[in-house]
Amino acid sequence: MSTGRLTRRRLLGAVGLSAGAAGLGGLSACSRDAGGSQGITDVTYQLSWTHSVQFGGTYLAEDAGFFGDQGLSVTLAAGGPNVAGDTNTVSGQSLINISGGDGVARSNAEGADLVIVGAQYQRAANTILSLGDAPIQSPEDLVGTQVGVAGPNVPALDAFLDINGIAKDDVEYVPSQYDPATLTAGQVDSLFCFYNDLPVALRVQGVEAYSMLLADFGYNPMSQVYTVLRESLEDEETRDAILRLIRGDAQGWQLYQRDPGAAADLVVDLYPDAGLDLETQREQAEVQLDIMYSEATEESGFGWFTDEQVQESLELFELLGIEGATEQMWDRSILEEIYADGPTA
Protein backbone atom coordinates (compact mmCIF):
# COMPACT_ATOMS: atom_id res chain seq x y z
CA MET A 1 0.00 0.00 0.00
CA SER A 2 1.28 3.46 -0.79
CA THR A 3 2.12 5.14 2.50
CA GLY A 4 1.32 8.56 1.12
CA ARG A 5 -2.23 7.71 0.14
CA LEU A 6 -4.63 9.48 2.51
CA THR A 7 -8.07 8.05 1.80
CA ARG A 8 -11.34 8.78 3.51
CA ARG A 9 -11.00 5.30 5.01
CA ARG A 10 -7.82 6.34 6.83
CA LEU A 11 -9.30 9.62 7.96
CA LEU A 12 -12.33 7.89 9.40
CA GLY A 13 -10.06 5.37 11.08
CA ALA A 14 -8.33 8.21 12.88
CA VAL A 15 -11.71 9.61 13.92
CA GLY A 16 -12.64 6.17 15.24
CA LEU A 17 -9.51 6.06 17.41
CA SER A 18 -10.33 9.48 18.82
CA ALA A 19 -13.86 8.35 19.61
CA GLY A 20 -12.53 5.30 21.41
CA ALA A 21 -10.17 7.43 23.47
CA ALA A 22 -13.12 9.55 24.53
CA GLY A 23 -14.78 6.48 26.01
CA LEU A 24 -17.60 6.17 23.48
CA GLY A 25 -19.32 2.77 23.44
CA GLY A 26 -18.77 0.16 20.75
CA LEU A 27 -20.06 -3.26 19.74
CA SER A 28 -17.18 -5.70 19.73
CA ALA A 29 -17.42 -9.22 18.39
CA CYS A 30 -17.03 -10.54 21.92
CA SER A 31 -19.48 -8.15 23.62
CA ARG A 32 -22.29 -7.62 21.18
CA ASP A 33 -24.59 -6.07 23.78
CA ALA A 34 -22.37 -3.00 24.20
CA GLY A 35 -22.70 0.39 22.50
CA GLY A 36 -24.70 1.11 19.38
CA SER A 37 -26.36 4.52 19.42
CA GLN A 38 -23.29 6.56 20.45
CA GLY A 39 -19.80 6.78 19.02
CA ILE A 40 -18.24 4.20 16.74
CA THR A 41 -19.39 0.59 16.86
CA ASP A 42 -16.59 -1.96 16.44
CA VAL A 43 -17.51 -5.11 14.50
CA THR A 44 -15.66 -7.99 12.90
CA TYR A 45 -16.74 -9.06 9.43
CA GLN A 46 -15.44 -12.55 8.60
CA LEU A 47 -14.74 -13.12 4.89
CA SER A 48 -15.02 -16.57 3.37
CA TRP A 49 -11.55 -16.70 1.82
CA THR A 50 -8.21 -14.94 1.62
CA HIS A 51 -8.12 -11.31 0.51
CA SER A 52 -8.75 -10.80 -3.21
CA VAL A 53 -11.10 -8.91 -5.50
CA GLN A 54 -13.68 -11.60 -4.69
CA PHE A 55 -14.56 -9.18 -1.86
CA GLY A 56 -13.97 -6.05 -3.91
CA GLY A 57 -17.20 -4.30 -3.02
CA THR A 58 -16.45 -4.66 0.67
CA TYR A 59 -13.02 -3.07 0.26
CA LEU A 60 -14.60 -0.23 -1.71
CA ALA A 61 -17.13 0.28 1.08
CA GLU A 62 -14.33 0.59 3.62
CA ASP A 63 -12.19 2.81 1.40
CA ALA A 64 -15.08 5.15 0.54
CA GLY A 65 -16.04 5.51 4.18
CA PHE A 66 -19.45 3.86 3.86
CA PHE A 67 -18.95 1.83 7.03
CA GLY A 68 -17.83 4.94 8.86
CA ASP A 69 -20.94 6.74 7.62
CA GLN A 70 -22.93 3.98 9.31
CA GLY A 71 -21.09 4.54 12.59
CA LEU A 72 -19.01 1.40 12.22
CA SER A 73 -15.36 0.53 12.59
CA VAL A 74 -15.07 -2.74 10.69
CA THR A 75 -12.33 -5.34 10.99
CA LEU A 76 -12.22 -7.40 7.79
CA ALA A 77 -10.97 -10.85 8.83
CA ALA A 78 -9.51 -12.97 6.05
CA GLY A 79 -10.75 -16.49 5.59
CA GLY A 80 -8.90 -19.46 4.16
CA PRO A 81 -8.65 -23.25 4.28
CA ASN A 82 -8.04 -23.25 8.04
CA VAL A 83 -10.66 -20.64 8.97
CA ALA A 84 -14.15 -21.80 9.97
CA GLY A 85 -16.27 -18.73 9.33
CA ASP A 86 -19.52 -20.10 10.71
CA THR A 87 -17.71 -21.21 13.86
CA ASN A 88 -16.26 -17.74 14.33
CA THR A 89 -19.74 -16.24 14.26
CA VAL A 90 -21.13 -18.87 16.63
CA SER A 91 -18.27 -18.25 19.08
CA GLY A 92 -18.68 -14.48 18.93
CA GLN A 93 -15.38 -13.75 17.21
CA SER A 94 -17.30 -12.16 14.34
CA LEU A 95 -20.65 -10.43 14.11
CA ILE A 96 -21.25 -11.67 10.58
CA ASN A 97 -19.53 -13.99 8.13
CA ILE A 98 -19.75 -14.90 4.48
CA SER A 99 -20.60 -18.55 3.98
CA GLY A 100 -22.34 -20.98 1.64
CA GLY A 101 -25.98 -21.94 2.11
CA ASP A 102 -25.15 -25.64 2.38
CA GLY A 103 -22.37 -24.84 4.85
CA VAL A 104 -24.80 -22.92 7.05
CA ALA A 105 -27.25 -25.83 6.91
CA ARG A 106 -24.52 -28.26 7.95
CA SER A 107 -23.44 -25.98 10.80
CA ASN A 108 -27.02 -25.81 12.04
CA ALA A 109 -27.37 -29.57 11.79
CA GLU A 110 -24.42 -29.77 14.18
CA GLY A 111 -26.10 -27.47 16.70
CA ALA A 112 -25.51 -23.90 15.51
CA ASP A 113 -28.41 -21.49 15.14
CA LEU A 114 -27.32 -19.39 12.17
CA VAL A 115 -29.53 -17.38 9.85
CA ILE A 116 -28.94 -16.23 6.27
CA VAL A 117 -29.89 -12.58 5.85
CA GLY A 118 -28.64 -11.91 2.30
CA ALA A 119 -26.87 -13.49 -0.67
CA GLN A 120 -24.03 -11.86 -2.58
CA TYR A 121 -24.09 -14.36 -5.45
CA GLN A 122 -27.17 -14.66 -7.60
CA ARG A 123 -25.68 -17.66 -9.37
CA ALA A 124 -23.33 -20.08 -7.66
CA ALA A 125 -19.77 -20.00 -8.97
CA ASN A 126 -19.45 -23.80 -9.35
CA THR A 127 -18.39 -24.59 -12.91
CA ILE A 128 -17.07 -27.32 -15.16
CA LEU A 129 -13.98 -25.99 -16.92
CA SER A 130 -12.84 -27.52 -20.21
CA LEU A 131 -10.47 -26.53 -22.99
CA GLY A 132 -11.77 -24.48 -25.89
CA ASP A 133 -11.00 -27.13 -28.51
CA ALA A 134 -13.07 -29.75 -26.62
CA PRO A 135 -15.68 -27.78 -24.67
CA ILE A 136 -18.10 -29.35 -22.20
CA GLN A 137 -21.19 -27.24 -22.91
CA SER A 138 -23.99 -29.30 -21.38
CA PRO A 139 -24.35 -31.97 -18.70
CA GLU A 140 -24.77 -34.60 -21.41
CA ASP A 141 -21.30 -33.76 -22.72
CA LEU A 142 -19.85 -35.16 -19.50
CA VAL A 143 -20.89 -38.72 -20.36
CA GLY A 144 -17.83 -40.85 -21.08
CA THR A 145 -15.36 -38.21 -19.90
CA GLN A 146 -12.97 -37.74 -16.99
CA VAL A 147 -13.61 -34.91 -14.54
CA GLY A 148 -10.98 -33.68 -12.14
CA VAL A 149 -12.66 -33.00 -8.80
CA ALA A 150 -11.36 -32.36 -5.28
CA GLY A 151 -12.76 -34.53 -2.52
CA PRO A 152 -14.88 -31.83 -0.82
CA ASN A 153 -16.62 -31.10 -4.13
CA VAL A 154 -17.64 -34.68 -4.91
CA PRO A 155 -21.09 -34.36 -3.23
CA ALA A 156 -21.83 -31.26 -5.32
CA LEU A 157 -20.87 -33.01 -8.56
CA ASP A 158 -22.93 -36.04 -7.53
CA ALA A 159 -25.96 -33.80 -6.96
CA PHE A 160 -25.45 -32.00 -10.27
CA LEU A 161 -25.43 -35.27 -12.20
CA ASP A 162 -28.49 -36.47 -10.28
CA ILE A 163 -30.41 -33.28 -11.07
CA ASN A 164 -29.63 -33.72 -14.75
CA GLY A 165 -30.43 -37.44 -14.90
CA ILE A 166 -26.90 -38.60 -15.59
CA ALA A 167 -25.70 -41.85 -14.04
CA LYS A 168 -22.53 -41.43 -11.97
CA ASP A 169 -21.08 -44.54 -13.59
CA ASP A 170 -21.12 -42.66 -16.91
CA VAL A 171 -18.60 -40.09 -15.66
CA GLU A 172 -15.14 -40.90 -14.30
CA TYR A 173 -14.07 -38.85 -11.28
CA VAL A 174 -10.33 -38.19 -11.11
CA PRO A 175 -9.04 -36.91 -7.73
CA SER A 176 -7.74 -33.39 -8.23
CA GLN A 177 -5.90 -30.91 -6.06
CA TYR A 178 -7.53 -28.00 -7.89
CA ASP A 179 -4.62 -27.79 -10.32
CA PRO A 180 -5.35 -26.50 -13.86
CA ALA A 181 -2.23 -28.30 -15.10
CA THR A 182 -4.16 -31.58 -15.02
CA LEU A 183 -6.53 -30.07 -17.61
CA THR A 184 -3.97 -28.36 -19.82
CA ALA A 185 -1.79 -31.50 -19.80
CA GLY A 186 -4.74 -33.61 -21.00
CA GLN A 187 -4.94 -35.76 -17.87
CA VAL A 188 -8.66 -34.96 -17.56
CA ASP A 189 -11.33 -33.66 -19.91
CA SER A 190 -12.61 -31.07 -17.47
CA LEU A 191 -12.21 -29.67 -13.97
CA PHE A 192 -14.79 -28.93 -11.28
CA CYS A 193 -13.80 -25.46 -10.09
CA PHE A 194 -15.13 -21.94 -9.62
CA TYR A 195 -16.14 -19.51 -12.34
CA ASN A 196 -14.19 -16.55 -10.97
CA ASP A 197 -10.99 -18.48 -10.23
CA LEU A 198 -9.24 -21.04 -12.47
CA PRO A 199 -11.03 -20.00 -15.69
CA VAL A 200 -9.74 -16.48 -15.11
CA ALA A 201 -6.21 -17.72 -14.46
CA LEU A 202 -6.19 -19.68 -17.73
CA ARG A 203 -7.61 -16.74 -19.68
CA VAL A 204 -4.87 -14.44 -18.40
CA GLN A 205 -2.32 -17.06 -19.50
CA GLY A 206 -3.85 -17.03 -22.99
CA VAL A 207 -5.37 -20.52 -22.72
CA GLU A 208 -8.72 -20.79 -24.49
CA ALA A 209 -11.20 -22.51 -22.19
CA TYR A 210 -14.94 -22.92 -21.67
CA SER A 211 -16.82 -22.63 -18.38
CA MET A 212 -20.17 -24.38 -17.91
CA LEU A 213 -21.88 -22.83 -14.90
CA LEU A 214 -23.71 -25.54 -12.97
CA ALA A 215 -26.27 -22.92 -11.95
CA ASP A 216 -27.44 -22.76 -15.57
CA PHE A 217 -28.36 -26.45 -15.38
CA GLY A 218 -30.27 -26.73 -12.12
CA TYR A 219 -27.52 -26.73 -9.49
CA ASN A 220 -27.58 -23.31 -7.88
CA PRO A 221 -26.80 -23.43 -4.16
CA MET A 222 -27.18 -20.06 -2.45
CA SER A 223 -23.63 -18.77 -2.24
CA GLN A 224 -21.60 -16.07 -0.48
CA VAL A 225 -24.39 -15.53 2.01
CA TYR A 226 -24.45 -13.03 4.87
CA THR A 227 -24.65 -15.23 7.97
CA VAL A 228 -25.47 -14.19 11.55
CA LEU A 229 -26.59 -15.76 14.80
CA ARG A 230 -30.34 -15.88 15.34
CA GLU A 231 -29.87 -14.36 18.79
CA SER A 232 -28.11 -11.40 17.14
CA LEU A 233 -31.27 -10.65 15.17
CA GLU A 234 -33.33 -10.86 18.34
CA ASP A 235 -31.26 -8.22 20.15
CA GLU A 236 -32.26 -4.72 18.99
CA GLU A 237 -28.82 -3.09 19.15
CA THR A 238 -27.00 -6.03 17.58
CA ARG A 239 -29.56 -6.28 14.79
CA ASP A 240 -29.09 -2.57 14.13
CA ALA A 241 -25.34 -3.08 13.77
CA ILE A 242 -25.94 -5.92 11.31
CA LEU A 243 -28.30 -3.75 9.28
CA ARG A 244 -25.79 -0.89 9.16
CA LEU A 245 -22.98 -3.24 8.16
CA ILE A 246 -24.95 -4.78 5.30
CA ARG A 247 -26.16 -1.35 4.16
CA GLY A 248 -22.59 -0.05 3.97
CA ASP A 249 -21.42 -3.23 2.27
CA ALA A 250 -24.20 -3.02 -0.32
CA GLN A 251 -23.21 0.56 -1.07
CA GLY A 252 -19.70 -0.69 -1.78
CA TRP A 253 -21.00 -3.40 -4.10
CA GLN A 254 -23.06 -0.77 -5.93
CA LEU A 255 -19.79 1.09 -6.59
CA TYR A 256 -18.21 -2.16 -7.69
CA GLN A 257 -20.92 -2.77 -10.28
CA ARG A 258 -20.17 0.59 -11.87
CA ASP A 259 -16.37 0.23 -11.79
CA PRO A 260 -15.05 -3.26 -10.98
CA GLY A 261 -11.57 -2.25 -12.14
CA ALA A 262 -11.31 0.21 -9.27
CA ALA A 263 -11.86 -2.64 -6.83
CA ALA A 264 -9.06 -4.65 -8.44
CA ASP A 265 -6.65 -1.72 -8.20
CA LEU A 266 -7.64 -1.17 -4.57
CA VAL A 267 -7.18 -4.74 -3.38
CA VAL A 268 -3.71 -5.01 -4.94
CA ASP A 269 -2.83 -1.74 -3.22
CA LEU A 270 -4.29 -2.79 0.14
CA TYR A 271 -2.67 -6.25 0.26
CA PRO A 272 0.74 -6.04 -1.45
CA ASP A 273 1.94 -9.20 0.30
CA ALA A 274 -0.98 -11.36 -0.86
CA GLY A 275 0.68 -12.31 -4.14
CA LEU A 276 -2.12 -10.81 -6.23
CA ASP A 277 -1.58 -10.18 -9.93
CA LEU A 278 -3.26 -6.97 -11.06
CA GLU A 279 -4.25 -8.26 -14.49
CA THR A 280 -5.81 -11.38 -12.97
CA GLN A 281 -7.64 -9.34 -10.34
CA ARG A 282 -9.05 -7.00 -13.00
CA GLU A 283 -10.23 -9.95 -15.09
CA GLN A 284 -11.79 -11.63 -12.05
CA ALA A 285 -13.52 -8.39 -11.12
CA GLU A 286 -15.22 -8.27 -14.52
CA VAL A 287 -16.15 -11.95 -14.50
CA GLN A 288 -17.88 -11.67 -11.13
CA LEU A 289 -20.44 -9.28 -12.57
CA ASP A 290 -22.04 -12.31 -14.25
CA ILE A 291 -22.85 -14.06 -11.00
CA MET A 292 -23.38 -11.22 -8.51
CA TYR A 293 -25.96 -9.08 -10.32
CA SER A 294 -29.27 -10.02 -11.90
CA GLU A 295 -32.75 -8.73 -12.67
CA ALA A 296 -33.60 -9.48 -9.04
CA THR A 297 -30.83 -7.24 -7.72
CA GLU A 298 -31.78 -4.50 -10.17
CA GLU A 299 -35.38 -4.65 -9.01
CA SER A 300 -34.91 -5.36 -5.29
CA GLY A 301 -31.32 -4.49 -4.33
CA PHE A 302 -27.91 -6.09 -3.92
CA GLY A 303 -27.92 -9.27 -1.84
CA TRP A 304 -31.60 -10.00 -2.45
CA PHE A 305 -32.92 -13.55 -2.42
CA THR A 306 -36.36 -14.90 -3.28
CA ASP A 307 -38.72 -17.45 -1.77
CA GLU A 308 -38.05 -19.61 -4.84
CA GLN A 309 -34.33 -19.62 -4.08
CA VAL A 310 -35.05 -20.74 -0.54
CA GLN A 311 -37.16 -23.65 -1.77
CA GLU A 312 -34.52 -24.62 -4.32
CA SER A 313 -31.94 -24.66 -1.54
CA LEU A 314 -34.07 -26.87 0.68
CA GLU A 315 -34.54 -29.35 -2.18
CA LEU A 316 -30.80 -29.32 -2.82
CA PHE A 317 -30.04 -29.99 0.84
CA GLU A 318 -32.04 -33.21 0.54
CA LEU A 319 -29.86 -34.32 -2.38
CA LEU A 320 -26.75 -33.47 -0.38
CA GLY A 321 -27.99 -35.44 2.62
CA ILE A 322 -28.27 -32.40 4.92
CA GLU A 323 -31.08 -32.84 7.41
CA GLY A 324 -33.10 -30.45 9.54
CA ALA A 325 -33.06 -27.24 7.46
CA THR A 326 -36.30 -25.25 7.24
CA GLU A 327 -37.41 -21.90 5.86
CA GLN A 328 -36.55 -20.38 9.26
CA MET A 329 -32.89 -20.56 8.25
CA TRP A 330 -33.51 -17.43 6.15
CA ASP A 331 -34.61 -13.95 7.19
CA ARG A 332 -35.13 -11.21 4.60
CA SER A 333 -36.20 -8.49 7.04
CA ILE A 334 -32.81 -6.73 7.01
CA LEU A 335 -32.89 -6.43 3.22
CA GLU A 336 -36.53 -5.36 3.26
CA GLU A 337 -35.64 -2.53 5.63
CA ILE A 338 -32.60 -1.41 3.67
CA TYR A 339 -34.50 -1.37 0.37
CA ALA A 340 -37.83 -0.11 1.65
CA ASP A 341 -37.63 2.87 -0.71
CA GLY A 342 -36.11 1.09 -3.71
CA PRO A 343 -33.11 -1.00 -4.80
CA THR A 344 -30.42 1.53 -3.81
CA ALA A 345 -28.86 0.98 -0.37
Side-chain angles (χ1 to χ4, degrees):
M1 184 190 306
S2 172
T3 57
R5 184 168 178 254
L6 180 61
T7 63
R8 190 170 178 225
R9 169 177 51 82
R10 289 186 177 178
L11 180 60
L12 285 166
V15 172
L17 288 174
S18 298
L24 296 176
L27 179 69
S28 72
C30 297
S31 57
R32 288 187 298 272
D33 58 340
S37 60
Q38 295 182 342
I40 297 296
T41 302
D42 298 312
V43 300
T44 296
Y45 180 176
Q46 177 66 62
L47 306 179
S48 60
W49 200 246
T50 56
H51 290 299
S52 77
V53 79
Q54 178 178 353
F55 311 106
T58 300
Y59 305 134
L60 288 173
E62 173 71 1
D63 191 70
F66 294 152
F67 293 137
D69 290 343
Q70 295 296 318
L72 300 174
S73 175
V74 179
T75 296
L76 299 177
N82 299 315
V83 177
D86 288 349
T87 300
N88 286 348
T89 297
V90 170
S91 68
Q93 293 183 58
S94 60
L95 176 68
I96 190 169
N97 71 287
I98 299 297
S99 188
D102 55 333
V104 175
R106 288 190 175 95
S107 294
N108 285 354
E110 294 173 359
D113 195 8
L114 296 166
V115 180
I116 294 170
V117 294
Q120 292 184 347
Y121 284 5
Q122 294 298 298
R123 291 193 292 170
N126 312 85
T127 194
I128 298 293
L129 177 66
S130 54
L131 295 178
D133 57 1
I136 303 293
Q137 298 176 303
S138 71
E140 291 74 23
D141 291 342
L142 287 168
V143 174
T145 68
Q146 295 179 315
V147 181
V149 57
N153 295 322
V154 167
L157 185 54
D158 285 346
F160 174 70
L161 295 179
D162 194 10
I163 288 169
N164 287 279
I166 296 173
K168 296 178 183 63
D169 290 344
D170 289 340
V171 181
E172 182 180 350
Y173 291 14
V174 178
S176 168
Q177 298 303 315
Y178 208 72
D179 184 358
T182 60
L183 176 63
T184 56
Q187 297 173 11
V188 295
D189 300 297
S190 64
L191 277 177
F192 184 107
C193 59
F194 298 96
Y195 186 69
N196 52 345
D197 189 1
L198 294 189
V200 173
L202 290 185
R203 192 177 309 170
V204 170
Q205 294 171 22
V207 177
E208 184 179 352
Y210 184 87
S211 291
M212 179 180 71
L213 270 173
L214 275 58
D216 293 338
F217 296 92
Y219 182 84
N220 190 26
M222 203 174 289
S223 304
Q224 293 295 98
V225 295
Y226 293 106
T227 307
V228 301
L229 276 172
R230 189 177 306 278
E231 68 182 48
S232 295
L233 293 177
E234 295 170 348
D235 177 85
E236 183 177 352
E237 289 185 348
T238 310
R239 183 185 184 280
D240 181 63
I242 293 168
L243 186 147
R244 287 183 282 137
L245 178 62
I246 294 178
R247 187 192 299 277
D249 204 44
Q251 290 171 346
W253 284 108
Q254 288 167 180
L255 278 185
Y256 179 100
Q257 186 178 18
R258 294 194 292 270
D259 189 2
D265 295 344
L266 178 61
V267 68
V268 172
D269 181 41
L270 288 175
Y271 302 104
D273 299 326
L276 301 173
D277 173 71
L278 181 56
E279 182 182 1
T280 302
Q281 292 298 295
R282 285 177 173 169
E283 183 71 22
Q284 182 178 350
E286 290 286 345
V287 165
Q288 285 185 162
L289 296 173
D290 292 343
I291 58 178
M292 300 193 78
Y293 305 92
S294 66
E295 290 184 5
T297 60
E298 292 301 313
E299 293 175 0
S300 302
F302 179 81
W304 195 261
F305 62 88
T306 65
D307 294 341
E308 289 75 18
Q309 286 173 294
V310 170
Q311 292 305 317
E312 288 173 1
S313 293
L314 290 172
E315 292 172 7
L316 180 58
F317 296 162
E318 291 185 18
L319 283 178
L320 295 173
I322 305 172
E323 299 180 351
T326 68
E327 294 176 0
Q328 280 63 52
M329 199 180 86
W330 289 264
D331 186 321
R332 206 164 47 216
S333 64
I334 294 282
L335 296 179
E336 290 168 348
E337 190 167 342
I338 291 173
Y339 301 119
D341 297 323
T344 301

